[in-house]
Amino acid sequence: MDAVEKSGNGHPGTAMSLAPAAYLLFNRVMRHDPTDPHWAGRDRFVLSCGHSSLTLYIQLYLSGYGLSLDDLQHLRQWDSLTPGHPEYGHTPGVEITTGPLGQGIGNAVGMAMAARRERGLFDPDADPGNSVFDHQVYALCSDGDIEEGVSHESSAIAGVQKLGNLTVIYDDNEISIEDDTRIAKNEDVGARYAAYGWDVRHVDWRKGDPAKGDYHEDVEALYKAIQAGHKVTDRPTFIVLKTIIGWPAPNKQNTGKIHGSALGADEVAATKKVLGWDPNESFAVAEDVLAHAREVSERGRAAHAEWQKAFDAWAKANAEGKKLFDRVEARKLPDNWFDAVPVFPADDKGIATRAASGKVLDALAPVLPELWGGSADLAESNNTTMKGEPSFIPSEYATKAFPGNEYGRTLHFGIREHGMGSILNGITVHGGTRPYGATFLVFSDYMRGAVRLSALMKLPVIYVWTHDSIGLGEDGPTHQPIETISALRAIVGLDVVRPADANETAWAWRGALEHTDRPTALALSRQNLPTIDRDKYASAEGTLKGGYILSDASGGQPSVILIGTGSEVQHCLAAQERLEAQGTPTRVVSMPCQEWFYEQDKAYQEEVLPRGVKARVTVEAGIRMSWDRILGDAGEPVSIEHYGASAPAKILFEQFGFTADNVVAKANAALAKVGAITGHKTGN
């Protein structure tokens, strides 16, 4: 109450009613060491209802994670450790950034999956519960989390995966911003989770008539429910905890008003009187209370020390496993790992970049055991199944097409892109492995919220998004992502890579894996693309610089520059031949990743795109929006500013102007703008 009052805004109600549950978890249930927030053997905690950030911050303060009363007094203020929603990498003890509702449930599912995969990778033969890699994942969630569709997607996956190491506590207080949730929600949430295959338990603190004071914060009942859930090892546990939001505020409890605004001085004072506290004191914490709470730190250090003994014994018996563990924890790649990646020979017929990506993954499987992933029900289309690798699935759910076991490597998210995104974030922050996930590029919109969060957290998630343009053809405009690439480039911190051929695809994977501080999106083609002759043209290694001179102008001094990505680079090369034959020195630049290009020093950027050459043509089968910086005032885009159509890819590219003829015409138009062509039609 005091923190929100001092800030002037915030979410006090849920933090008030969940304080006993949070204290129980941090002080009595979870295995954690406040002196080492990164201890690999710790249990994980996710506050999915991130608006109730004080629920977490106060426990971090009480447990001894380094937060002070002063930090709590600076809730939501500039440069504080207590921002409005918990932020990963900003506040010690915060496992993941939460705020957009429902994401945290998916994150917790991802953490639980990662814990099992990590165990399978490093210690598969240990008895259940006896591995140094065994730990629990806990999450607190609210009605808002439950209502968001992403929670359905990830919770359904958790049921299929039988994640017995996951416990979610649902704060069933029946209040949201618009007050009583019955205005928009009437399902039986517990029954819903039982239908997913979860172990569902109920704890009711609202027995009797709360209006008459019949409300009992029965912490022991919640503790017993959690412990009972631990005994159910083949299902995740979902505890429906019925609370009163804002208890025991005498006038604002159980109302929407206490959800997201300060109580006001009078109500704060009245609540303190109910609790038997001095209404004139703020941020008062008795020394003996704080000392008692911080005993958990001593217990945590002792548990950590015991775990370390077991870990050291494991390491001694598993030298290669320890070496791999250290490398993966440091997010390092093995020496010469890229030597395993195939080099694709020149081929006019070529190969689709999605298929080339699949071949790269097959080659990386034995080299990078930490790498795992799958797709949203599009394995054959996305080419994301490593050859011969079992699926990550309880053996009883394995299929003829996808045999597997609980420690497998191929992930199956079902048709759940949003859940896939939040799960990938959870896997990544958990550590111990490196994930990728795939779908059609157009459906990246379904997972945009999770992608934005991976960029915000600087997580090295790899997204494989195939069917990258109108080139997917007959499926028509609903599946043709004409605006999607530009929209993704607008996400700060996301690298969007659209390779021109198989070898650029291989180098794109290298760039994605070598970047450990950001997510990468690989936008790959459905249709075959010619494999560029690298004896004639520049090495595909230029992919790592985002943009490079693929074919230079005669004499090295271009009059016009053609800049292409993906399937359109081939048209730039064909147009260059014709323009050069006409006497126009023409440079072709392949620009698979704008973000990587703009990271290069100014000298390199100037070398590739000299400011003095203003006649430029950008060629990409999408809207022009993200190319204006490169086009300048005189540039001409070959783009599509309308939705596509259903027809074979070749017809669509011809009808919509993605041809060498149109690239030549646009080049002439750009040359005319800068006065290099006068006195005749440009053909534009």
Side-chain angles (χ1 to χ4, degrees):
M1 291 187 298
D2 290 339
V4 176
E5 205 66 28
K6 190 172 190 298
S7 169
N9 59 78
H11 298 78
T14 300
M16 293 167 68
S17 51
L18 278 183
Y23 184 76
L24 172 68
L25 286 173
F26 273 80
N27 206 270
R28 191 173 173 191
V29 172
M30 295 194 324
R31 182 177 69 177
H32 63 116
D33 180 0
T35 66
D36 185 1
H38 305 293
W39 168 31
R42 71 192 184 281
D43 291 338
R44 280 19 176 217
F45 173 79
V46 178
L47 182 70
S48 192
C49 44
H51 58 275
S52 184
S53 56
L54 283 163
T55 296
L56 177 53
Y57 295 152
I58 290 171
Q59 296 312 316
L60 296 179
Y61 160 66
L62 291 175
S63 299
Y65 275 84
L67 284 189
S68 65
L69 267 181
D70 185 66
D71 291 317
L72 298 179
Q73 292 180 40
H74 285 84
L75 176 73
R76 292 176 161 242
Q77 302 308 302
W78 174 258
D79 203 30
S80 76
L81 288 174
T82 50
H85 294 82
E87 295 180 18
Y88 172 74
H90 181 75
T91 308
V94 172
E95 298 279 9
I96 195 162
T97 297
T98 55
L101 291 170
Q103 290 288 333
I105 293 178
N107 300 153
V109 172
M111 291 178 184
M113 291 169 66
R116 193 172 86 200
R117 171 64 185 164
E118 183 183 46
R119 187 192 205 274
L121 195 59
F122 296 110
D123 199 21
D125 298 324
D127 292 335
N130 289 321
S131 170
V132 292
F133 299 99
D134 288 334
H135 54 265
Q136 299 291 317
V137 179
Y138 300 92
L140 286 175
C141 72
S142 63
D143 278 304
D145 298 287
I146 292 301
E147 291 177 31
E148 288 285 2
V150 64
S151 71
H152 153 72
E153 295 185 18
S154 50
S155 297
I157 294 171
V160 172
Q161 289 292 346
K162 296 190 168 186
L163 299 175
N165 57 347
L166 173 62
T167 300
V168 174
I169 300 174
Y170 162 45
D171 178 26
D172 184 14
N173 62 35
E174 300 176 0
I175 292 292
S176 60
I177 291 175
E178 294 185 358
D179 204 78
D180 196 321
T181 56
R182 286 178 295 183
I183 199 70
K185 168 180 165 288
N186 68 357
E187 75 264 26
D188 184 334
V189 175
R192 172 180 148 194
Y193 272 78
Y196 293 146
W198 289 54
D199 168 50
V200 178
R201 300 180 180 274
H202 295 266
V203 177
D204 190 353
W205 289 354
R206 300 180 65 159
K207 294 176 181 177
D209 184 358
K212 297 179 180 178
D214 295 336
Y215 184 72
H216 175 45
E217 294 173 322
D218 192 343
V219 178
E220 195 62 28
L222 178 58
Y223 178 72
K224 290 179 179 178
I226 294 170
Q227 294 302 107
H230 286 168
K231 296 177 182 178
V232 180
T233 59
D234 62 347
R235 282 175 289 167
T237 294
F238 188 78
I239 299 174
V240 181
L241 176 64
K242 295 192 74 67
T243 68
I244 293 177
I245 190 171
W247 178 269
N251 302 302
K252 291 189 176 181
Q253 64 174 269
N254 208 31
T255 68
K257 298 296 183 185
I258 206 168
H259 170 90
S261 58
L263 279 73
D266 292 343
E267 185 73 355
V268 170
T271 306
K272 289 179 179 178
K273 287 180 180 178
V274 170
L275 291 166
W277 298 345
D278 185 344
N280 297 312
E281 284 189 337
S282 293
F283 296 97
V285 181
E287 287 299 320
D288 59 338
V289 169
L290 186 60
H292 175 75
R294 290 195 173 165
E295 289 175 4
V296 72
S297 188
E298 297 176 15
R299 295 193 293 273
R301 285 197 299 273
H304 190 165
E306 285 300 309
W307 176 90
Q308 191 64 49
K309 291 178 184 177
F311 181 82
D312 291 343
W314 168 83
K316 185 176 181 180
N318 297 272
E320 287 302 311
K322 176 61 162 57
K323 184 178 178 181
L324 174 61
F325 177 83
D326 290 342
R327 179 177 67 74
V328 174
E329 281 292 290
R331 287 181 175 171
K332 291 183 178 179
L333 296 165
D335 294 338
N336 305 316
W337 68 275
F338 196 63
D339 292 347
V341 175
V343 176
F344 298 87
D347 183 355
D348 289 340
K349 181 181 177 182
I351 182 176
T353 52
R354 61 168 175 157
S357 172
K359 291 181 181 299
V360 171
L361 281 172
D362 289 343
L364 290 177
V367 181
L368 302 178
E370 70 270 27
L371 185 64
W372 65 315
S375 84
D377 198 55
L378 292 167
E380 291 185 7
S381 294
N382 298 147
N383 295 98
T384 47
T385 303
M386 296 175 180
K387 189 178 296 183
E389 293 293 337
S391 291
F392 181 85
I393 190 74
S395 56
E396 62 265 40
Y397 291 149
T399 65
K400 183 178 180 180
F402 290 101
N405 57 72
E406 63 177 356
Y407 296 144
R409 191 170 187 178
T410 301
L411 286 166
H412 302 274
F413 296 98
I415 308 165
R416 305 183 182 101
E417 287 87 358
H418 202 176
M420 175 173 69
S422 61
I423 287 170
L424 290 171
N425 287 341
I427 291 173
T428 305
V429 299
H430 177 277
T433 62
R434 186 80 185 269
Y436 61 86
T439 185
F440 289 167
L441 177 61
V442 74
F443 299 134
S444 65
D445 283 340
Y446 278 150
M447 56 195 300
R448 188 178 181 88
V451 174
R452 184 178 185 274
L453 283 169
S454 67
L456 179 63
M457 289 185 276
K458 301 180 179 179
L459 301 180
V461 179
I462 298 174
Y463 303 102
V464 181
W465 290 325
T466 69
H467 297 57
D468 66 337
S469 72
I470 57 171
L472 69 89
E474 292 85 347
D475 280 342
T478 59
H479 285 53
Q480 293 168 5
I482 57 108
E483 82 288 6
T484 311
I485 289 283
S486 280
L488 289 167
R489 288 182 181 134
I491 297 179
V492 177
L494 173 67
D495 295 339
V496 181
V497 193
R498 188 167 180 251
D501 74 346
N503 288 307
E504 279 197 5
T505 303
W507 285 96
W509 266 103
R510 175 167 174 169
L513 287 164
E514 287 182 341
H515 289 131
T516 60
D517 60 349
R518 71 192 85 167
T520 304
L522 304 180
L524 308 175
S525 73
R526 177 193 188 188
Q527 74 278 20
N528 286 353
L529 305 184
T531 304
I532 296 168
D533 184 348
R534 299 295 169 168
D535 290 330
K536 181 179 179 181
Y537 300 110
S539 167
E541 185 176 356
T543 301
L544 295 180
K545 293 188 174 182
Y548 63 102
I549 300 171
L550 178 61
S551 179
D552 211 352
S554 55
Q557 296 295 325
S559 296
V560 63
I561 304 175
L562 312 179
I563 307 116
T565 71
S567 50
E568 290 72 68
V569 170
Q570 59 182 305
H571 303 308
C572 294
L573 290 172
Q576 181 195 35
E577 290 186 7
R578 291 174 49 183
L579 288 163
E580 286 278 352
Q582 295 171 11
T584 303
T586 305
R587 172 179 292 177
V588 173
V589 170
S590 181
M591 183 76 72
C593 182
Q594 292 185 9
E595 293 80 13
W596 292 351
F597 179 70
Y598 291 130
E599 279 190 344
Q600 306 308 311
D601 59 48
K602 294 296 183 182
Y604 178 78
Q605 294 181 41
E606 177 68 17
E607 176 188 340
V608 175
L609 298 176
R611 282 172 288 181
V613 183
K614 297 188 180 299
R616 300 176 177 185
V617 179
T618 57
V619 191
E620 183 171 67
I623 62 173
R624 67 170 281 174
M625 181 184 295
S626 52
W627 290 101
D628 285 344
R629 177 177 176 182
I630 287 173
L631 281 167
D633 295 334
E636 287 280 342
V638 177
S639 63
I640 179 170
E641 306 299 327
H642 51 77
Y643 293 108
S646 179
K650 185 175 186 295
I651 301 300
L652 291 176
F653 281 121
E654 290 174 352
Q655 290 294 321
F656 295 143
F658 294 98
T659 63
D661 285 345
N662 196 32
V663 176
V664 169
K666 293 285 188 176
N668 287 332
L671 288 163
K673 282 184 179 180
V674 299
I677 294 179
T678 59
H680 62 82
K681 293 182 179 180
T682 64
N684 184 24

